[in-house]
Amino acid sequence: MALVLAPRWSFLLVRGIASVAFGVIALAWPGVTLAALTILFGAYALVDGVTALVVAARRGRTRHRWLLVADGLLGVAAGIATFMWPALTLLVLLFLVGARFFLSGIFQAATAIALRHDLDAPLLYGLGGLASIALGVLTWIVPGVTARVLLTFLGVYAIFFGIAMAILAFRLRRFGRAVTPRFA
């Protein structure tokens, strides 16, 4: 696998740089409107998706190429949808996050009740479920605050993901240089 990816290390580096840039901008300019950050996310998703598709195309017919294609198509679709409906994209994302917390909390609370004799700390598990329910409801009531928190998390995630991609790119570059003379 590393032999296949080593010559294409630069695409991973571009992906990493784009991700870190997005994360830094998202964290450094908190006063920027959420709409602008949503558009920035759309651009990031589009560039990331196109890059994944290019890497998939250059890999040729390999066994797991479809994973890169799926990742790329999802990124391109998310980017296009964000450009077409930026406010709706943000609102839908927030409502999905809220629904996930709410439903997860219901299941956690129900599990705590149903398994109260089998769990070591059913009260703590149930309180965790109630906290998830409360977070879900708060997400629906004050989506603006939730959006800022999510964008902060997204910025941190993008930085860590970008660093990981850059490290992988440089390792693949070094691996490719070490292996190439043996096969030349």
Side-chain angles (χ1 to χ4, degrees):
M1 176 67 109
L3 282 174
V4 173
L5 289 176
R8 290 150 182 83
W9 66 270
S10 60
F11 288 104
L12 290 175
L13 183 60
V14 168
R15 236 180 137 173
I17 290 170
S19 187
V20 169
F22 170 75
V24 167
I25 290 169
L27 295 175
W29 294 339
V32 175
T33 65
L34 288 173
L37 288 174
T38 302
I39 295 299
L40 186 60
F41 169 74
Y44 161 74
L46 192 60
V47 168
D48 186 59
V50 168
T51 304
L53 288 172
V54 168
V55 170
R58 290 184 174 223
R59 284 192 68 193
R61 295 198 181 271
T62 57
R63 197 167 120 205
H64 299 291
R65 182 175 120 181
W66 70 271
L67 293 168
L68 279 171
V69 170
D71 182 32
L73 291 175
L74 184 63
V76 169
I80 291 171
T82 300
F83 288 129
M84 292 179 69
W85 307 287
L88 184 61
T89 300
L90 182 59
L91 191 59
V92 167
L93 174 64
L94 291 171
F95 286 147
L96 287 174
V97 168
R100 191 259 182 230
F101 280 121
F102 185 79
L103 294 174
S104 177
I106 289 173
F107 290 128
Q108 290 169 355
T111 300
I113 292 168
L115 300 177
R116 66 184 171 275
H117 301 295
D118 299 325
L119 294 174
D120 288 335
L123 180 62
L124 292 176
Y125 198 72
L127 288 174
L130 292 177
S132 292
I133 292 170
L135 182 58
V137 170
L138 281 173
T139 300
W140 295 331
I141 293 173
V142 286
V145 173
T146 305
R148 288 194 179 273
V149 171
L150 285 175
L151 288 171
T152 300
F153 285 146
L154 181 61
V156 171
Y157 160 78
I159 290 170
F160 281 110
F161 178 79
I163 290 169
M165 288 293 106
I167 290 170
L168 177 60
F170 286 121
R171 284 187 178 178
L172 285 170
R173 178 179 175 224
R174 186 176 23 182
F175 176 79
R177 286 183 175 172
V179 172
T180 303
R182 282 191 251 163
F183 292 108

